[in-house]
Amino acid sequence: MGNDTNGAVADCDVVVVGAGFAGIYALWKAEQRGLTVRGFERGSEVGGTWYWNAYPGARCDVASYNYAYFFDNEIVREWNWSDVCSNQEEIQRYLSFVAEKCNVTRLITFDTRVEAVSYDAASALWTVQTADGETVVCRYVVLAVGALSEPKAPDIEGVDSFAGEAHFTSSWPRDRVVDMKGKRVGVIGTGSSGVQCVPEIAKVASDVFVFQRTANFVTPTLSGPMDPEVVETMRQDPGAVRKELRSTYGGNQPLYIGPDRFNDLDEAGREKALWHAWEQREVALAFWDSHLPEANAAISEFIRQRMLEVVKDPWTADKLVPWDHPYGGKRPCQSDVYLQTYNQPHVRLIALRETPIEKIVPEGIVTSAETIPLDVIVYATGFDALSGPVRALNITGIDGVSMGDIWADGPVNYLGTMVHGFPNLFLPSSAMSPSVLSNMATLAEQQIDFIFDTIRWLDSNDQAGLHPSSDSQDFWRDETLRFAKRVPGALTTESWYNGANIPGKPRRYMVYRGGFNRYHEACYAELDSGFKGYELLSASAAQ
Ligand code: NA7
């Protein structure tokens, strides 16, 4: 059992909030390290983001070869993915399989939202409070609450007045099939969720109206059967795969990267490289240095031309193409069927830059040009991403300082995992880690390993806890900005990567673009240095 300082007694060593990729692994890891642990999950099953986003067509855009755990050989060898781009149902089933295999489901209290997390400096203990009024006192808190788990509140007048059915892709009903057969359906939003659900809805609805504010890049998916040889190779040595993933830029083993540098090729060579990468379904990696602005511009233009070729109606085609930002400025989408859907007579694009939504009324959606009667509205309007899930909790640290106040001008942290003034509170998958621009499964394993290696270091060095210095946070903010500046469009495009999708949210680029490998090295350099960038709380000081 946990710490006992200043008379206060911990109920357990660790509380893990959230049971997605990071939470499940954290629970297992805690037990492996001999720590007592409890988990809380607001869903009724494990899965996290993959539990809630159960909308039709939901799929992963990271290849299943790597979008998985690699900490356990049996898990790698026993699980079979049915497609290179697994769907939501399969990923959630996988996470249930892992949770059962690791025997951690019993540790989780489901259907329970954690509301507040508060630190007591005298005892160096945290109190975690649920919406049901339960409190648990512990030494370490792992907020494995995800990066895309706090839905964006609808910012359209009259949302509640709609008389038909309304659903969010981010919290799709799981207890029944939403019946859209023969109905008039409006989909608001054309990010990954909108792009994935529109073709599925079009299969059954009588009429589909897609309300698009900003056009997005859409490229073909990697979907298809798994290559048995690749699977077999990975099964032979999962530990080697794990190690390799951490040495890559994106936490992935890319299936293709163009071998040539952009500036080493002439015009014809570039065109050839782009077509070849397109056929490999990795056009974004057409060149060895695809991140260069000039390479990015060529890739962007190439994709725009391919998009224009698919859609038959010239007005619709033109509106669907993202002319206003470079590839990667916003989260690019993948689909083999989305653009083709607009060639069906019952699917219509409403270009909101020309005719904005004015309000929602009982019968449907009113734009500046017309009223569109609807039976169902699907909100594919995204998330208060990255910092949102942490900000949604009431977190107070040393001297009762609130995380909400500390993050009022944007998130601050060190190495994407800890905040000054909040000792022993860990934030995997939050802002300023490689996060959503890396493989989130690789990241979950890496961050949880680092967190529990940190805890082990504290225990073996007789330290009650640690938190980063404010200098370290300043350094990390500057590092995040330094790398973001190198990415075409990162700071100039309106994107949830930088908070622009939420009215009033402070702009801060929230993804560390220095590469997964560099991130991993920075984490373990801290550990190797005895946490020089942190302030330590000695065990005796806390007593
Ligand atoms: P995204 O990528 O944030 O997409 C949300 C979409 O909703 C986007 O097209 C927005 O347009 C649109 N949106 C948001 N609010 C409005 C209003 N008020 N009116 C019209 N349109 C609006 O979220 P997704 O769920 O699609 O994807 C999130 C990630 O989940 C995805 O990238 C994967 O990593 C998994 P905007 O671009 O802001 O003009």
Side-chain angles (χ1 to χ4, degrees):
M1 183 63 67
N3 213 13
D4 182 352
T5 52
N6 258 8
V9 178
D11 299 309
C12 59
D13 296 314
V14 188
V15 167
V16 177
V17 185
F21 264 99
I24 291 169
Y25 183 52
L27 291 163
W28 179 82
K29 192 93 193 177
E31 288 215 313
Q32 290 294 306
R33 291 279 165 93
L35 301 166
T36 53
V37 59
R38 281 196 63 184
F40 289 99
E41 165 55 52
R42 73 185 156 100
S44 306
E45 296 167 36
V46 300
T49 295
W50 292 109
Y51 171 86
W52 293 102
N53 286 264
Y55 59 84
R59 270 182 188 275
C60 187
D61 55 10
V62 176
S64 312
Y65 296 110
N66 292 161
Y67 195 74
Y69 296 109
F70 283 90
F71 67 90
D72 182 90
N73 290 354
E74 275 187 23
I75 290 172
V76 177
R77 288 171 189 159
E78 286 178 18
W79 184 262
N80 291 301
W81 294 107
S82 68
D83 195 289
V84 177
C85 293
S86 308
N87 68 21
Q88 173 272 332
E89 183 278 330
E90 189 168 14
I91 299 173
Q92 205 216 334
R93 197 155 34 82
Y94 168 74
L95 289 170
S96 300
F97 159 78
V98 174
E100 287 303 322
K101 187 103 192 143
C102 293
N103 194 22
V104 296
T105 315
R106 69 192 159 81
L107 301 169
I108 307 167
T109 306
F110 289 99
D111 299 307
T112 303
R113 180 188 286 272
V114 165
E115 282 194 336
V117 188
S118 52
Y119 183 67
D120 173 49
S123 61
L125 295 175
W126 286 92
T127 300
V128 176
Q129 190 181 331
T130 72
D132 302 337
E134 184 180 0
T135 55
V136 181
V137 177
C138 59
R139 191 170 161 208
Y140 304 106
V141 181
V142 180
L143 290 182
V145 290
L148 296 165
S149 52
E150 188 62 24
K152 177 189 161 176
D155 50 356
I156 304 171
E157 186 190 327
V159 165
D160 294 332
S161 70
F162 183 57
E165 266 188 71
H167 298 291
F168 283 76
T169 51
S170 52
S171 51
W172 198 259
R174 299 184 51 94
D175 52 349
R176 68 197 171 90
V177 174
V178 176
D179 182 12
M180 292 185 269
K181 197 163 174 223
K183 296 194 173 156
R184 291 171 62 87
V185 182
V187 180
I188 305 177
T190 51
S192 298
S193 304
V195 163
Q196 289 182 337
C197 74
V198 163
E200 293 302 312
I201 293 170
K203 285 181 187 166
V204 292
S206 66
D207 299 272
V208 183
F209 300 86
V210 184
F211 296 83
Q212 170 191 275
R213 192 161 61 186
T214 313
N216 270 316
F217 284 91
V218 183
T219 57
T221 72
L222 286 164
S223 181
M226 301 284 284
D227 179 336
E229 269 181 44
V230 177
V231 173
E232 191 42 42
T233 308
M234 293 199 312
R235 283 180 173 166
Q236 275 166 17
D237 192 352
V241 178
R242 189 172 202 240
K243 198 166 166 206
E244 192 190 330
L245 291 174
R246 293 177 186 192
S247 69
T248 64
Y249 179 83
N252 270 313
Q253 299 165 300
L255 298 175
Y256 174 83
I257 299 184
D260 298 311
R261 292 181 184 278
F262 182 79
N263 286 317
D264 290 345
L265 297 170
D266 61 14
E267 205 55 47
R270 290 170 188 166
E271 185 75 2
K272 197 170 159 207
L274 283 160
W275 274 110
H276 185 65
W278 179 259
E279 277 146 23
Q280 307 302 313
R281 293 180 284 171
E282 290 280 20
V283 68
L285 301 176
F287 309 103
W288 188 250
D289 46 7
S290 292
H291 61 281
L292 289 181
E294 53 271 36
N296 177 274
I299 290 167
S300 304
E301 196 47 35
F302 184 87
I303 300 171
R304 291 184 184 115
Q305 292 311 316
R306 302 292 76 72
M307 291 178 70
L308 283 172
E309 286 163 6
V310 177
V311 184
K312 291 190 180 131
D313 174 61
W315 180 89
T316 308
D318 180 66
K319 295 296 166 217
L320 283 168
V321 170
W323 302 107
D324 65 342
H325 65 273
Y327 182 87
K330 283 171 98 71
R331 175 84 177 189
C333 305
Q334 295 179 359
S335 173
D336 302 315
V337 286
Y338 173 71
L339 297 167
Q340 291 79 348
T341 306
Y342 290 92
N343 294 333
Q344 299 177 36
H346 68 299
V347 180
R348 188 180 144 202
L349 182 73
I350 312 292
L352 299 181
R353 299 271 178 218
E354 284 186 1
T355 55
I357 294 178
E358 290 187 341
K359 60 185 169 184
I360 293 177
V361 292
E363 57 272 32
I365 295 181
V366 179
T367 71
S368 60
E370 61 189 312
T371 297
I372 299 174
L374 297 167
D375 302 309
V376 181
I377 297 178
V378 173
Y379 291 94
T381 43
F383 300 87
D384 183 352
L386 297 151
S387 58
V390 169
R391 287 211 59 188
L393 299 169
N394 179 9
I395 305 172
T396 47
I398 292 173
D399 296 332
V401 169
S402 122
M403 184 77 82
D405 290 345
I406 299 280
W407 282 18
D409 295 329
V412 286
N413 65 34
Y414 184 41
L415 295 170
T417 46
M418 291 193 86
V419 181
H420 176 70
F422 298 80
N424 297 351
L425 178 80
F426 300 99
L427 315 174
S429 359
S430 184
M432 279 124 80
S433 75
S435 184
V436 290
L437 287 164
S438 70
N439 175 347
M440 291 293 277
T442 309
L443 182 72
E445 265 193 62
Q446 189 275 349
Q447 289 190 315
I448 296 303
D449 280 347
F450 177 55
I451 288 165
F452 282 90
D453 289 347
T454 302
I455 291 173
R456 183 162 62 187
W457 183 93
L458 289 170
D459 285 344
S460 35
N461 287 279
D462 194 29
Q463 303 291 333
L466 85 181
H467 58 131
S469 69
S470 23
D471 284 352
S472 296
Q473 289 189 164
D474 291 348
F475 163 75
W476 196 245
R477 181 201 55 214
D478 294 348
E479 277 292 274
T480 305
L481 189 60
R482 183 167 76 90
F483 286 110
K485 279 181 181 160
R486 297 181 183 182
V487 179
L491 302 179
T492 50
T493 307
E494 306 257 304
S495 159
W496 53 262
Y497 295 160
N498 55 31
N501 67 324
I502 303 292
K505 185 167 176 174
R507 295 289 179 96
R508 176 147 318 173
Y509 199 78
M510 293 183 284
V511 187
Y512 174 75
R513 304 292 300 260
F516 197 97
N517 42 356
R518 195 188 300 257
Y519 174 75
H520 176 60
E521 281 163 21
C523 291
Y524 279 87
E526 270 298 345
L527 194 144
D528 293 343
S529 77
F531 292 97
K532 289 272 182 291
Y534 292 71
E535 293 174 17
L536 297 168
L537 314 175
S538 77
S540 47
Q543 282 169 0

